[in-house]
Amino acid sequence: MSLKTATALTALICMLPPAPANATGAQPGDAAGVVKTMGTLRLNLATGRVEGQVCVSNRPAEFAGAFALNAGLNVAKVTDGDGKPLAFHGWFNPGVSGEARIYTLSEAPPTLCVRYVGAYPVYPAHDAPDDFKGVMAFNGDSARFTEQSAWVPTPYDDKAKARGGNNAAYDLDIYCAGCRYLYMSGSPVIEGDHGKFSATARPDLFFGGTGPITRTANVTILNEAVPTAQADALSNMVGKIDAYYRGYMGQAVSVRPTFLRVVMINQVDRDRKGSEWGFAAWPTIGMSGSVGKIGQILLTGGDAVDNKTGYIAHEMGHYYFGTLAIPVEGPYYGFMWESTAEFLAQKALRAINGDAAADQRVAGWVAKVEKRKEPFAAFDRIADRSAIDDIYRYDYGPLLLLALEKQVGEAKMRAFMRGLLATPGLRSWAELQAVAGKAGIDDAAWESWRNRCVADGKRAC
């Protein structure tokens, strides 16, 4: 799939992550609501070998009886936090969650420790048959593991068939033979083949490599040497978006983004097809295309500038909705994660590049909504998160927010967005209306918006 427009790029890069384990909507760093991952990992760039001794604590009760681990990793031993061996099932006829095997436990101790080992193919010619976010990827000069790949034991709800703890506080000691530097999302890059990483709730993303590092005032670029002018253009744009969000949301983006240039293990096939790929695990934005090219586009101008500005603004919007506020698994999960970030993106785009740029992005939403033949679920009657699909969360949801802003005015809408940030655990229409009330939106205005734009999945707005 080629990333030809800002909408396509956003839709691919911002793949909706699994619902987090901290289903209370706790903030990162809240010890009562965040899974903790601690231990040691050793890997080798040349051989693809991985060894782990990792403990997980603070698991919610429904996630405490099982864990997911990448299918290429073999479990050697499972113990509690005191070293007592635990019986487990999963060797024969195991459960499966995507790229991971499921292991069920005989008991659920407060701390679960797993010792494991595995080895993966190394593709220095980048000629693998496939690559995606769930792969533990070795390409000869780097290793890439994301939270989707379950490279550390991931709490699992065997009843709901769902993973949790994808945003975990971590304290990990990592050794990488052959690496020039190590990086975990949410922590600074460590130069060398050994690093100790600690952070509040972030996606469990690791990258170890030998490539260049480009540092600027507002961004770090890993695995690509970007000329100063291009790097500064990207850094300046990030600074402008941060400044806008600081005013609009009342809080600055406290962690500067890291742009990660990914050379995929199937890069040969992707180059042949002319396709690019990317993902987000805030504050990391990974992409198979050139990061420097974005800076060049920002320098040269044209319509492509608006596409890239909107894309960066969307990803930075996930600092608020997805990092500061982690939505709960509920009916409005997709809306709270993606519709909010996309609405913020057009607000930032309008402030930085002007009305025409933002109006064009909105026109893209409208075109997708009008093209869809299936009816939309009425927003005030959402009962299951599956009702909010890709077009709903990336196009229809932002249009509903834009229509609400036109109904109530920019000041009250800003208060409403700040209210959503403070209420990530909302699960019902009534709770959404309560946020609106606290933002100064009266019942008459709310009901007017509901009747004109929301009821029966209308598209008029």
Side-chain angles (χ1 to χ4, degrees):
M1 183 184 299
S2 177
L3 305 183
K4 295 182 178 179
T5 66
T7 302
L9 185 62
T10 297
L12 186 58
I13 289 184
C14 283
M15 293 179 290
L16 191 67
N22 54 321
T24 60
Q27 300 293 321
D30 179 351
V34 177
V35 173
K36 297 179 180 178
T37 303
M38 306 154 288
T40 301
L41 190 83
R42 298 177 184 273
L43 63 146
N44 189 302
L45 287 189
T47 66
R49 182 179 173 87
V50 178
E51 299 177 60
Q53 174 64 50
V54 178
C55 298
V56 184
S57 63
N58 217 26
R59 295 160 295 150
E62 63 270 29
F63 290 89
F67 66 92
L69 193 66
N70 190 276
L73 297 171
N74 299 298
V75 174
K77 192 174 184 180
V78 179
T79 68
D80 65 13
D82 297 320
K84 173 189 171 184
L86 298 177
F88 63 94
H89 301 281
W91 284 104
F92 174 74
N93 194 27
V96 175
S97 171
E99 45 285 298
R101 297 176 70 166
I102 304 304
Y103 297 87
T104 56
L105 305 168
S106 59
E107 51 186 294
T111 298
L112 167 72
C113 297
V114 183
R115 184 161 64 88
Y116 53 91
V117 63
Y120 294 85
V122 180
Y123 292 97
H126 312 137
D127 56 353
D130 197 11
D131 194 359
F132 58 96
K133 197 179 179 187
V135 172
M136 294 181 66
F138 288 83
N139 73 358
D141 59 20
S142 70
R144 181 192 78 240
F145 314 149
T146 75
E147 77 284 0
Q148 183 178 325
S149 69
W151 59 281
V152 292
T154 303
Y156 186 79
D157 184 342
D158 201 35
K159 183 178 180 180
K161 306 301 179 188
R163 300 188 209 177
N166 295 286
N167 283 278
Y170 58 80
D171 189 357
L172 292 168
D173 210 4
I174 300 180
Y175 299 81
C176 178
C179 285
R180 188 174 78 82
Y181 59 80
L182 309 175
Y183 170 72
M184 277 201 68
S185 204
S187 291
V189 180
I190 295 178
E191 297 193 50
D193 60 3
H194 169 229
K196 294 184 177 182
F197 296 91
S198 182
T200 54
R202 293 290 185 271
D204 293 323
L205 178 142
F206 166 79
F207 184 84
T210 60
I213 304 173
T214 304
R215 292 184 171 92
T216 74
N218 297 312
V219 300
T220 298
I221 302 169
L222 285 184
N223 210 31
E224 184 176 352
V226 178
T228 300
Q230 296 177 10
D232 287 346
L234 179 61
S235 179
N236 291 339
M237 181 56 71
V238 167
K240 290 178 182 179
I241 295 169
D242 179 24
Y244 176 77
Y245 283 161
R246 186 187 310 126
Y248 190 82
M249 296 302 294
Q251 300 183 59
V253 177
S254 64
V255 181
R256 67 182 184 181
T258 295
F259 286 79
L260 172 61
R261 166 75 161 100
V262 177
V263 180
M264 302 185 70
I265 59 175
N266 71 334
Q267 194 69 48
V268 169
D269 184 57
R270 293 216 172 242
D271 289 345
R272 186 183 301 118
K273 295 176 180 177
S275 67
E276 295 179 358
W277 174 80
F279 64 88
W282 183 263
T284 306
I285 301 170
M287 58 184 66
S288 66
S290 169
V291 179
K293 186 177 179 180
I294 296 178
Q296 184 59 42
I297 289 172
L298 294 175
L299 283 173
T300 55
D303 290 343
V305 172
D306 298 333
N307 292 339
K308 297 305 182 185
T309 302
Y311 150 60
I312 296 168
H314 179 104
E315 297 307 333
M316 291 181 66
H318 282 306
Y319 172 74
Y320 299 96
F321 296 98
T323 304
L324 282 181
I326 302 176
V328 301
E329 183 176 8
Y332 292 104
Y333 179 66
F335 170 84
M336 285 291 292
W337 200 291
E338 297 294 356
S339 301
T340 50
E342 183 62 5
F343 175 78
L344 286 179
Q346 69 82 28
K347 293 291 293 181
L349 185 59
R350 191 175 300 278
I352 296 168
N353 289 7
D355 288 342
D359 289 345
Q360 185 176 15
R361 193 173 187 88
V362 173
W365 302 343
V366 173
K368 283 198 170 185
V369 167
E370 290 181 343
K371 186 177 179 180
R372 177 178 167 129
K373 296 180 180 179
E374 299 83 3
F376 288 99
F379 190 53
D380 58 345
R381 296 184 180 181
I382 299 292
D384 186 87
R385 61 175 285 189
S386 63
I388 299 182
D389 58 12
D390 280 354
I391 293 180
Y392 206 119
R393 55 181 173 256
Y394 289 112
D395 304 288
Y396 186 62
L399 281 171
L400 291 179
L401 288 171
L402 186 60
L404 179 61
E405 181 181 55
K406 291 182 177 180
Q407 175 73 45
V408 303
E410 187 170 10
K412 290 182 179 179
M413 190 64 191
R414 182 173 60 247
F416 179 69
M417 294 300 291
R418 293 183 181 187
L420 291 181
L421 182 65
T423 320
L426 65 83
R427 294 176 179 271
S428 69
W429 174 258
E431 291 172 333
L432 196 67
Q433 185 172 1
V435 172
K438 291 179 181 178
I441 300 173
D442 60 48
D443 289 346
W446 183 260
E447 287 303 316
S448 176
W449 171 68
R450 180 182 188 177
N451 292 331
R452 290 188 306 105
C453 306
V454 172
D456 301 319
K458 292 177 180 176
R459 307 187 190 197
C461 292

